[in-house]
Amino acid sequence: MKKIAVFTSGGDSPGMNACIRAVVRTGIFHGLEVYGIYHGYEGMIEGDIKRMYSHSVSNIVQRGGTILKSARSAEFRTPEGRKKAYENLKALGIEGLVAIGGDGTFTGAKVFYEEYGIPTVGCPGTIDNDIYGTDYTIGFDTAVNTALEAIDKIRDTAAAHDRIFFVEVMGRDAGFIAVESGIGGGAEFVMVPETKTDLDQVVKSLKNLRKTKTSSIIVVAEGDDLGSAEEIMKMVKEKIKDPNKEFKVTTLGHIQRGGKPTARDRVLASRCGMAAVEGLIQGKTNCMAGVMKMEVVYTPFGDCIGQPKPLIPDHLKLIDILSI
Ligand code: F6P
């Protein structure tokens, strides 16, 4: 293998740049030519591909976002789009790919590998942490800390005014950010897509809590089965029927996707990037390089996207016990 290319795809996450840097420098260390593909699969189709050098990735380890840009490509889902992408890679002599992204990225990479056989290793880049085959994904730790900082601030004003706050965090299909920021922020409740939310139970507990606490924080993952934080707040307000109680909603949104990556995310990203390149050199393909129990592990794309990653049961128990 002489030439490899790296790209980022799907929702960006803090630490993607640290991962790109590790891929480029590990590739160069092992004597490879490294290329960067811009705008994910879109750039592969458009031929937006440039050679990268060690200096191309200087001064980015600490930056959020992705210098290679990211996109979700509808055209890559078509056989015609993938054919164009293959022809562009073939013309440049690219023999291996590193795909940094989440389940959508790996779904595309798996199909592409099966059709055209260009060896591909992935790195788990998503704030959602919903990828099987790695304990944590690149960007998750930063997103949790961003949410936590906001929750701490909301807690101050919630307490000052004796209010009940619903804080919506990201997580369309997964509650990892909600659970960890909820534990760290001392939330009274956490609502996640993985478990059924019992509204009557929430209302009952809130009424009980109000005998000892005057303010509460409820962290809601955006994909909760009952709806958005705004919708849930309205339902709870309706059931509590207390004109003296004030209910507020804060949606944190995309601030969770940006910002400087934490040390943990930079280290994880660097390890995954190095492992992806060394995996390609060793002949690995159609799999993701992740870190489980401190060790690098390679998991087939099929398992990364096909296997659900459950929340840690102890984390859910912690929220129940510590909120009384
Ligand atoms: O996949 C990460 C994620 O942040 C989800 O939690 C969220 O629902 C989604 O991306 C939003 O994506 P976009 O901003 O690209 O619409």
Side-chain angles (χ1 to χ4, degrees):
M1 187 169 290
K2 294 260 187 307
K3 292 185 186 182
I4 62 167
V6 56
F7 63 98
T8 48
S9 164
D12 64 329
S13 69
M16 279 184 160
N17 279 327
C19 192
I20 295 167
R21 172 177 175 266
V23 170
V24 171
R25 293 201 171 156
T26 306
I28 292 169
F29 176 84
H30 288 289
L32 304 177
E33 272 182 29
V34 186
Y35 291 77
I37 302 171
Y38 289 78
H39 296 103
Y41 292 117
E42 278 299 305
M44 222 184 258
I45 293 168
E46 300 296 323
D48 194 359
I49 305 170
K50 294 190 184 81
R51 178 89 186 265
M52 297 190 87
Y53 304 91
S54 184
H55 67 262
S56 316
V57 290
S58 293
N59 200 17
I60 64 165
V61 70
Q62 79 283 14
R63 282 168 54 193
T66 157
I67 58 161
L68 292 178
K69 312 276 185 167
S70 194
R72 293 191 170 102
S73 171
E75 200 180 349
F76 195 76
R77 292 201 199 103
T78 67
E80 298 75 27
R82 293 192 293 275
K83 187 163 182 288
K84 279 192 218 163
Y86 171 70
E87 276 158 9
N88 286 329
L89 297 177
K90 204 173 130 204
L92 282 170
I94 307 283
E95 298 158 298
L97 293 171
V98 176
I100 307 170
D103 53 358
T105 306
F106 299 156
T107 304
K110 183 172 180 290
V111 174
F112 193 58
Y113 174 71
E114 285 162 2
E115 285 175 354
Y116 293 105
I118 299 183
T120 304
V121 177
C123 294
T126 164
I127 62 165
D128 289 344
N129 199 33
D130 58 347
I131 302 286
Y132 179 87
T134 190
D135 289 336
Y136 292 104
T137 55
I138 299 161
F140 171 69
D141 188 57
T142 309
V144 168
N145 279 290
T146 300
L148 194 54
E149 210 183 311
I151 291 169
D152 287 347
K153 289 176 179 162
I154 291 167
R155 170 78 72 190
D156 289 344
T157 178
H161 287 269
D162 297 333
R163 285 170 169 164
I164 297 177
F165 263 86
F166 290 77
V167 183
E168 185 175 296
V169 298
M170 274 189 164
R172 197 169 26 206
D173 307 306
F176 289 97
I177 298 177
V179 167
E180 293 213 7
S181 63
I183 293 172
E188 274 65 35
F189 295 100
V190 173
M191 300 179 177
V192 292
E194 291 88 339
T195 60
K196 213 173 147 33
T197 304
D198 182 344
L199 199 65
D200 291 328
Q201 186 55 43
V202 171
V203 170
K204 201 169 141 204
S205 307
L206 269 177
K207 282 182 176 164
N208 277 339
L209 279 178
R210 283 175 49 214
K211 292 173 191 147
T212 51
K213 297 184 182 182
T214 54
S215 66
S216 297
I217 302 280
I218 298 151
V219 178
V220 182
E222 63 176 325
D224 187 69
D225 57 306
L226 284 185
S228 68
E230 182 75 33
E231 288 161 341
I232 297 172
M233 180 279 283
K234 284 183 182 148
M235 290 189 261
V236 170
K237 190 176 175 183
E238 176 69 20
K239 282 180 182 274
I240 287 194
K241 288 193 191 352
D242 180 349
N244 297 318
K245 200 71 214 169
E246 282 188 283
F247 296 82
K248 297 279 174 187
V249 176
T250 303
T251 301
L252 300 185
H254 285 78
I255 61 161
Q256 295 159 97
R257 286 252 290 263
K260 277 173 177 292
T262 59
R264 266 187 197 288
D265 274 332
R266 296 183 205 191
V267 173
L268 174 66
S270 303
R271 276 193 93 180
C272 292
M274 181 177 85
V277 175
E278 295 191 336
L280 280 175
I281 293 169
Q282 290 156 18
K284 293 196 183 352
T285 182
N286 208 18
C287 63
M288 179 194 81
V291 174
M292 292 176 93
K293 298 195 174 82
M294 315 286 275
E295 299 291 333
V296 166
V297 284
Y298 296 91
T299 305
F301 280 145
D303 291 343
C304 298
I305 55 190
Q307 297 251 34
K309 181 170 174 182
L311 295 171
I312 298 168
D314 253 11
H315 283 179
L316 297 171
K317 187 175 160 192
L318 264 174
I319 293 163
D320 284 347
I321 293 180
L322 300 185
S323 63
I324 55 173

